[in-house]
Each structure stands twice: as C-alpha cells, then as structure tokens.
Amino acid sequence: MAKTQITAEPGIPQIIMTCEFDAPRDLVYRAYTDPELLQQWLGPREYTMTVTENDVRDGGRWRFVHADAEGHEHGFHGVFHGDPSPEGIVRTFEYEGAPGHVSMETLTLTETGGRTRARTVSSFQAVEDRDAMISSGMERGVHDSDERITELLARLQAD
Amino acid sequence: MAKTQITAEPGIPQIIMTCEFDAPRDLVYRAYTDPELLQQWLGPREYTMTVTENDVRDGGRWRFVHADAEGHEHGFHGVFHGDPSPEGIVRTFEYEGAPGHVSMETLTLTETGGRTRARTVSSFQAVEDRDAMISSGMERGVHDSDERITELLARLQAD
C-alpha cells in the first residue's frame, strides 16, 4: 500500500510528503481533482467529506468540508495558482477554524513505469503554524487517506 | 528615513522584512492598498507602475505591472487571503516571468506612539525560489520603495 513519508525539519516552516502509487499519473491526477473521487478518499475514514467548490483553474477556489457523525463540520478552502495539470498543482490551504493561517501546497506528480510518485511541499507562514498542523492529528488523516486512495485507484483500474 | 531590514536565513525558504514609518497605521495601510498611492511608491523609481487589478477582499485578485523606459513590462499578481485590514494583509505573489513559482506574503502592521512598524514574511516553495528573488535585484527595489513611501507618507501628513 502507498505509505506517505512525512518530513518536517526543525526550524523550517515546511512539511514535505512523498508517496508512490501503483497507477498511471493521469488517474492519480483525476483522484486529486475530480470531486466525486476526492470525496471517496481524502481525510479520515469516519468523516463524511463534501466538496462544496472545486474550480480547478488558475485563480479558481476550492472548498471542502469534513463532518463527523455528530454533524460537527470542519471547512477548508483555498485558491489554485496557475493552471492545475497532471504535472502538478499549486494551491493555498486554509483551515476555517484558524482564519489567517494560510499555507501553500505544491504537488508534483511524476510517472515512471506506470507508477506515480506524488510529492507535496506545504509552506507555512511560520514554524509554529507548521507544528500546529502536525499536532492536529494530521498524520492519522494522511494514513487513512493513503489506504483509501490506494483502494480507490485499484478499483478504478479494475473497472 | 525608513530603512527596511531584510533577513534571509540559510536553508529557510523565507524572507523577513521589517520597516518603521513615522506615520499612523491607517495611513500606512492606505499607502499599501489604495492603487493611486501604491503607484506612487512601489518599486524602483525608473519604472512606471500600474495597478491593473486590486480587489482588496478575501479571495480578491491584485495585479500590477512595472514598465521601464523602453516599454518592457513585468507583471506580478496574486490573491488576497482573508479580509485585508489595517492589522495586516495575507496575499500570494507570483512574478509572471516565472509562472508556477508562488510565494505568500504576510504583512503585519503595528502602531506605537503614532509610528507604524511593518513586518512582512514572504514564504517560498523552496530555498532556491527565495534565493532567485534575492538575486533578482530585490534589495534595490526595496530601497527605492523605502525612500518613496517615506516621501509619500510625509506629503500625505503635510496635506
């Protein structure tokens, strides 16, 4: 299964995540941008994820909401910078529970021999913001997402 | 005169700039957001600066163009994140000559005894991007901007 490597060096306000998928790049890109697919894998399993906005183009906004079983909602949104393509996506990211704390994500997708490597660099305004993101339980969400996108990509290729 | 202190630590993909103005915060904020005022101080003296877009609100776009005497144009644009206010502005920044290389600027304005301190943190996707910005001659542009905003704030307060 895909297992994301998470790197967060002391004093540097970034998180670098790398992951490899047993799927071609175009399919991985679809999983990252098609709302119907995103809702099937992004975030912890016990949350219902809804994509409320997803204007995948330069300057377009995206927004998604995670809701738990009791209906508590957590919203996230941002803006795409540059036209997203299977080569990669640059977008900003803001958790609506902490307005003003914005990070920027640079996703790069590279394909080798039918497998795809995804590398995400998240750049934060401060090391404190980066550390807050890590201590929010990010790692468990990433782990669940890993399992779920792996299952999704397998299903899509079996179709 | 205002003299911006520029800090760029090795290995950390950020530039931190601080500057103090002999002017109240609301006036400094106007100088940073009113297109008529921005065009009078931002950038090197020998460039003509035009604000082509300046939608100062959450999700709004800004764009400005520097033109030299021969008419060569350099465009810059980005998106405001969160509602800009005299307390500060968060926005992305992209030089159109290097698409895909996006930085994020967090400006904080604080007033003490009628003087205003401006602190800008620019966060880059990579240290290489930060270093490219510095070697582009940024420092001279910042120096000219320092002189020009100081003159502008003095004029506005003399009115």
Side-chain angles (χ1 to χ4, degrees), chain B residues 94-106:
Chain B
E94 189 168 355
Y95 168 47
E96 293 170 5
H101 297 269
V102 186
S103 62
M104 189 165 53
E105 292 184 355
T106 305

Side-chain angles (χ1 to χ4, degrees), chain A residues 11-14 58-59 61 77-82 90 92-94 100 102-106 121 123-127, chain B residues 11-14 58-59 61 77-82 90 92-94 100 102-106 121 123-127:
Chain A
I12 297 178
Q14 291 189 325
D58 188 16
R61 288 172 62 91
H77 70 263
V79 177
F80 293 104
H81 282 68
V90 180
T92 52
F93 178 100
E94 190 169 353
V102 186
S103 62
M104 191 165 51
E105 292 185 355
T106 304
V121 179
S123 301
F124 294 81
Q125 294 159 299
V127 171
Chain B
I12 297 177
Q14 291 189 324
D58 188 17
R61 284 173 64 91
H77 70 261
V79 177
F80 293 104
H81 282 67
V90 179
T92 52
F93 178 100
E94 189 168 355
V102 186
S103 62
M104 189 165 53
E105 292 184 355
T106 305
V121 179
S123 302
F124 295 80
Q125 293 159 300
V127 171

Side-chain angles (χ1 to χ4, degrees), chain B residues 99-144:
Chain B
H101 297 269
V102 186
S103 62
M104 189 165 53
E105 292 184 355
T106 305
L107 167 70
T108 310
L109 299 174
T110 45
E111 182 179 319
T112 315
R115 292 176 63 82
T116 301
R117 183 169 179 271
R119 181 175 191 266
T120 304
V121 179
S122 291
S123 302
F124 295 80
Q125 293 159 300
V127 171
E128 295 71 32
D129 286 356
R130 189 273 308 267
D131 293 344
M133 169 67 86
I134 289 174
S135 61
S136 73
M138 182 196 81
E139 204 166 346
R140 195 177 58 79
V142 169
H143 179 74
D144 274 13

Side-chain angles (χ1 to χ4, degrees), chain A residues 15 98 101 124 126-138:
Chain A
I15 297 172
H101 297 269
F124 294 81
V127 171
E128 295 71 31
D129 285 356
R130 190 272 308 267
D131 293 344
M133 170 67 86
I134 290 175
S135 61
S136 73
M138 182 195 82

Side-chain angles (χ1 to χ4, degrees), chain B residues 39 42-52 63-76 95-96 140 148:
Chain B
Q39 291 176 173
L42 192 61
R45 281 190 192 276
E46 72 275 20
Y47 284 23
T48 304
M49 140 79 158
T50 312
V51 175
T52 65
R63 182 171 184 268
F64 55 80
V65 177
H66 281 138
D68 65 20
E70 288 82 44
H72 300 122
E73 295 194 340
H74 300 277
F76 304 82
Y95 168 47
E96 293 170 5
R140 195 177 58 79
R148 300 172 77 196

Side-chain angles (χ1 to χ4, degrees), chain A residues 9-25:
Chain A
E9 291 187 31
I12 297 178
Q14 291 189 325
I15 297 172
I16 298 177
M17 294 192 288
T18 55
C19 193
E20 213 174 287
F21 302 108
D22 191 13
R25 185 168 75 168

